[in-house]
Amino acid sequence: MANASQARFNAEAAAWDSNPVTVQSSALAYKSLLERIPGLNTKNPREDGLDVLEIGCGTGLLSFSLHPHIRSLIGVDTAAGMIDVFASKAASRFPATSASASSAANIAAVNVLLADPDDFLLQEAAALARQGRVERPARFDLVVSHLTLHHIPDMAAVLKTVFGCLKPGGRVALTDFEDTGPEAVYFHPEEKREGVERHGIKSEEMERLIGEAGFEDVKVERAFVLEKFVEEEGRERGFPFLICLGRRPA
């Protein structure tokens, strides 16, 4: 049975890409990644680009922006409705009869709760590879997520899973809005707060948890500010976003 968050995202999936705030947020996250992850700027991404895992990929707003810069991308999401939209977009952008059809082979998404890295890599990713949709990487070069961390009950467990999904030397880059105090609750309208585990993330806490998961070169910094209308206040408010970075030791 879907929890409150899954039910909401399933219901909103079809109209997700028409929300200008959602689109802008993903665009700002994309820009932040390009500025901080050198491997996304290679000249020949299909040959020497990164294999990417996106946690909480949703409809693929960030995924399809990253697509020209990577070798492969697998997205995971627990909301089946979001995955359906993702698949529909992939089919529309890369129809089987078009010259660009081969591009579809390096991007796909699965409806799964990622818990055990080996289980996921051996089953879900391998299944995609058998379908010819994604060349199965043994591990990933980069794990990203955007606006997913605040829905995660056990942050430490997820970060350990992320660590296990990465190749030695692989990187993590996670973006979410910052817990700046009581006002952070306004990021979500009141009717959408059920199922939200935390109202933003805290810099010092994320630095500690990422380090405890085994990462080095840990850095958590402010990446951008998203302007969003707050219904309860009747005005625009700027919500700062953090980007959480780390590297699995080589």
Side-chain angles (χ1 to χ4, degrees), residues 17-239:
D17 290 7
S18 64
N19 184 329
V21 174
T22 301
V23 173
Q24 182 189 13
S25 169
S26 297
L28 291 170
Y30 163 68
K31 182 174 181 290
S32 297
L33 291 172
L34 290 187
E35 292 171 347
R36 291 170 173 84
I37 308 297
L40 293 176
N41 297 299
T42 179
K43 292 182 178 180
N44 300 299
R46 296 297 182 267
E47 296 178 10
D48 56 8
L50 304 179
D51 292 315
V52 181
L53 171 66
E54 183 179 357
I55 297 176
C57 63
T59 64
L61 283 172
L62 179 59
S63 313
F64 288 100
S65 293
L66 290 174
H67 175 257
H69 305 277
I70 50 91
R71 193 177 83 92
S72 72
L73 184 145
I74 295 178
V76 298
D77 203 290
T78 59
M82 291 286 184
I83 296 298
D84 288 344
V85 175
F86 187 113
S88 177
K89 287 164 68 174
S92 175
R93 297 184 186 203
F94 311 116
T97 56
S98 75
S100 63
S102 61
S103 295
N106 77 326
I107 184 168
V110 289
N111 178 212
V112 64
L113 175 62
L114 181 59
D116 182 277
D118 291 315
D119 179 68
F120 170 72
L121 288 163
L122 290 173
Q123 296 186 33
E124 300 291 350
L128 291 170
R130 286 195 298 271
Q131 298 168 26
R133 295 170 62 194
V134 170
E135 182 180 344
R136 174 182 172 269
R139 285 287 190 276
F140 295 93
D141 299 296
L142 175 66
V143 176
V144 300
S145 78
H146 178 57
L147 280 175
T148 297
L149 297 180
H150 68 274
H151 290 290
I152 294 174
D154 190 340
M155 192 79 74
V158 166
L159 290 171
K160 289 179 181 177
T161 297
V162 167
F163 185 89
C165 286
L166 285 165
K167 301 173 185 177
R171 297 180 181 275
V172 63
L174 317 171
T175 51
D176 212 324
F177 71 103
E178 183 177 5
D179 179 356
T180 55
E183 69 275 10
V185 72
Y186 294 123
F187 185 84
H188 294 95
E190 187 173 2
E191 68 273 12
K192 295 185 179 181
R193 292 173 192 162
E194 183 182 1
V196 174
E197 294 291 336
R198 56 183 60 78
H199 297 292
I201 57 174
K202 298 180 179 180
S203 177
E204 291 184 2
E205 179 184 24
M206 290 304 302
E207 284 185 1
R208 175 179 59 81
L209 290 172
I210 293 170
E212 290 176 353
F215 290 95
E216 59 185 21
D217 299 335
V218 177
K219 180 187 291 187
V220 178
E221 60 187 13
R222 187 165 290 184
F224 58 88
V225 175
L226 176 70
E227 296 292 330
K228 186 177 183 184
F229 184 77
V230 176
E231 296 177 1
E232 291 162 273
E233 296 184 318
R235 66 181 180 91
E236 294 273 335
R237 176 187 282 276
F239 292 91

